């Protein structure tokens, strides 16, 4: 295997985790009652960004040698895409754990509400 193939596998793994997170969120959103078109459009744009980055990464096959700095630099954008996906579509544990105001313990509710 060439060095590009190793880097491509690492990039593909991070991108696939983000796409899986978004697709899981879409299935939960379709089961719900409320659909907000702005959020839906951001999710679709995010999916397009994943596909575009994966497709455009093929041009990096012509890089002669890879070193740790270039490897880490290439992984920054997929990591940011994954973080964006996690913010757009929170997982089950995050959506149920306590992001809503009512799920906070009473002593913290007053601290966050300013009362």
């Amino acid at each position: 295997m060439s060095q590009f193939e190793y880097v491509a596998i690492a990039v593909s793994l991070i991108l696939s985790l983000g796409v899986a997170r978004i697709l899981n969120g879409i299935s939960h959103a379709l089961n719900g009652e409320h659909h907000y078109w702005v959020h839906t459009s951001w999710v679709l744009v995010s999916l397009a960004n994943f596909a575009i980055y994966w497709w455009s990464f093929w041009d990096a096959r012509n890089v002669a040698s890879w070193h740790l700095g270039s490897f880490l630099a290439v992984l920054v954008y997929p990591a940011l895409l994954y973080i964006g996906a996690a913010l757009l579509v929170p997982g089950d544990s995050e959506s149920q754990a306590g992001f809503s105001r009512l799920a906070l313990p009473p002593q913290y509710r007053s601290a966050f509400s300013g009362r």
Side-chain angles (χ1 to χ4, degrees):
M1 285 180 61
S2 68
Q3 290 179 342
F4 170 75
E5 292 168 344
Y6 284 108
V7 174
I9 288 171
V11 168
S12 297
L13 282 172
I14 296 172
L15 291 175
S16 64
L17 289 172
V19 169
R21 182 150 190 153
I22 288 179
L23 293 178
N24 187 29
I26 289 174
S27 67
H28 286 288
L30 292 178
N31 290 335
E33 303 170 354
H34 305 290
H35 302 286
Y36 188 49
W37 68 271
V38 175
H39 183 261
T40 304
S41 63
W42 271 107
V43 168
L44 294 176
V45 166
S46 181
L47 273 176
N49 281 336
F50 278 103
I52 289 169
Y53 185 77
W54 181 79
W55 189 263
S56 66
F57 187 69
W58 180 251
D59 291 334
R61 73 186 181 283
N62 298 326
V63 174
S65 70
W66 291 87
H67 52 83
L68 183 61
S70 61
F71 174 71
L72 294 176
V74 165
L75 291 182
V76 167
Y77 191 68
L80 290 175
L81 283 174
Y82 178 80
I83 290 169
L87 292 173
L88 276 174
V89 184
D92 290 337
S93 62
E94 289 130 1
S95 62
Q96 297 172 0
F99 283 112
S100 69
R101 195 176 98 116
L102 298 176
L104 289 172
Q107 63 268 23
Y108 295 118
R109 276 189 230 149
S110 62
F112 289 124
S113 65
R115 295 182 197 166

